[in-house]
Amino acid sequence: MASLQQTMLSLQSKLPPSSFQIAKSLPIRRTNLPLRIGGGNAAGARMSATAAGSYAMALADVAKRNDTLELTSADVEKLEKVFSDPQVLNFFANPTVEVEKKRLVIDEIVKFSSLQSHTSNFLNILVDANRINIVTDIVKEFEMVYNKITDTQLAEVRSVVKLEPPQLAQIAKQVQKLTGAKNVRVKTILDPSLVAGFTIRYGDSGSKLIDMSVKKQLEDIAAQLELGEIQLAA
């Protein structure tokens, strides 16, 4: 998977010069935008989660009716990359930016990413409804809806270096054996903090973890040293 930085640089290089100049020319608030509705409290966060789930289910329903669930899932993965960039998310969530300017950038994202028409319409609905700021939550919710519909288990694999396809296939087989899922989708993330090795997170909301990293081994050794459990050889 290409890095987010490469993805965004590629997007910017392929768009007409005016597209991202629109975003860059406007004042962007450099604060952590609240992905919630109704204030900065727990109730607001729950409302945001409920809204994200509703939008995700609506998109999945349209995809099922059009028999384009797999293509829509691919669209959502592309959106995840684009909107993971804080500058992009902040631009669309900024209430001082005119809706028409947001639509222009949406059009360019749709064109560059080759998104389906109903995905494009979906993004514009979010802009019109002032819900584009929860798009990253919608992506997560859609992933869960998709996995449930298709009996797919998501395995998030973190490693220091990119793993080869045969290694990922072996991991997928192991996760399938552990969960009994019909399908397994592997999502890879590069994580230099692991030092070496890899981790696999799967299960409901990533509740299960297989840690084969050197970082974990070092932490275990440190814990043993702290507790005085190291047994010296005679």
Side-chain angles (χ1 to χ4, degrees):
M1 182 183 296
S3 68
L4 177 59
Q5 183 177 12
Q6 291 174 327
T7 301
M8 295 311 302
L9 286 174
S10 178
L11 174 60
Q12 294 181 39
S13 67
K14 292 180 180 293
L15 293 178
S18 60
S19 299
F20 267 78
Q21 284 176 359
I22 292 174
K24 292 180 178 179
S25 66
L26 291 165
I28 303 298
R29 293 184 299 176
R30 297 298 179 183
T31 57
N32 293 326
L33 290 172
L35 298 184
R36 57 178 71 98
I37 299 147
N41 51 28
R46 287 194 296 271
M47 290 173 65
S48 175
T50 301
S54 297
Y55 278 111
M57 287 188 287
L59 180 60
D61 186 55
V62 171
K64 284 193 296 181
R65 291 203 307 267
N66 294 338
D67 196 25
T68 58
L69 188 59
E70 295 300 325
L71 291 174
T72 302
S73 178
D75 281 356
V76 171
E77 287 185 9
K78 295 174 185 177
L79 293 180
E80 181 180 22
K81 292 180 181 179
V82 173
F83 284 93
S84 291
D85 187 312
Q87 182 181 6
V88 175
L89 184 59
N90 287 354
F91 166 70
F92 282 104
N94 192 336
T96 68
V97 179
E98 296 177 4
V99 171
E100 286 307 312
K101 290 183 178 180
K102 293 179 181 179
R103 283 182 175 276
L104 285 175
V105 180
I106 287 291
D107 289 344
E108 299 300 344
I109 291 174
V110 169
K111 180 180 178 181
F112 168 75
S113 301
S114 300
L115 301 180
Q116 300 172 92
S117 59
H118 66 259
T119 306
S120 173
N121 293 338
F122 180 73
L123 289 174
N124 281 303
I125 287 172
L126 292 179
V127 169
D128 292 340
N130 195 29
R131 296 285 198 172
I132 196 70
N133 62 315
I134 63 170
V135 67
T136 53
D137 286 347
I138 294 172
V139 166
K140 294 176 184 177
E141 292 289 339
F142 181 88
E143 188 174 73
M144 290 189 286
V145 172
Y146 170 85
N147 291 344
K148 185 174 181 179
I149 292 173
T150 60
D151 190 14
T152 297
Q153 179 66 229
L154 175 65
E156 181 185 275
V157 179
R158 291 178 177 266
S159 59
V160 178
V161 297
K162 183 178 179 180
L163 299 181
E164 297 299 323
Q167 294 172 309
L168 296 176
Q170 188 63 34
I171 289 173
K173 288 180 180 178
Q174 184 62 27
V175 171
Q176 187 175 42
K177 181 179 179 181
L178 290 170
T179 63
K182 181 178 180 181
N183 306 293
V184 175
R185 185 164 68 90
V186 177
K187 183 176 182 179
T188 59
I189 299 174
L190 294 181
D191 186 353
S193 72
L194 298 178
V195 185
F198 59 90
T199 65
I200 307 169
R201 187 170 290 280
Y202 65 99
D204 294 337
S205 300
S207 59
K208 299 184 181 300
L209 175 68
I210 299 174
D211 196 333
M212 304 293 290
S213 68
V214 170
K215 178 182 178 181
K216 177 63 165 58
Q217 296 173 23
L218 293 174
E219 289 175 347
D220 289 345
I221 292 173
Q224 290 175 0
L225 286 170
E226 200 171 300
L227 296 173
E229 293 179 356
I230 291 293
Q231 299 294 323
L232 297 178

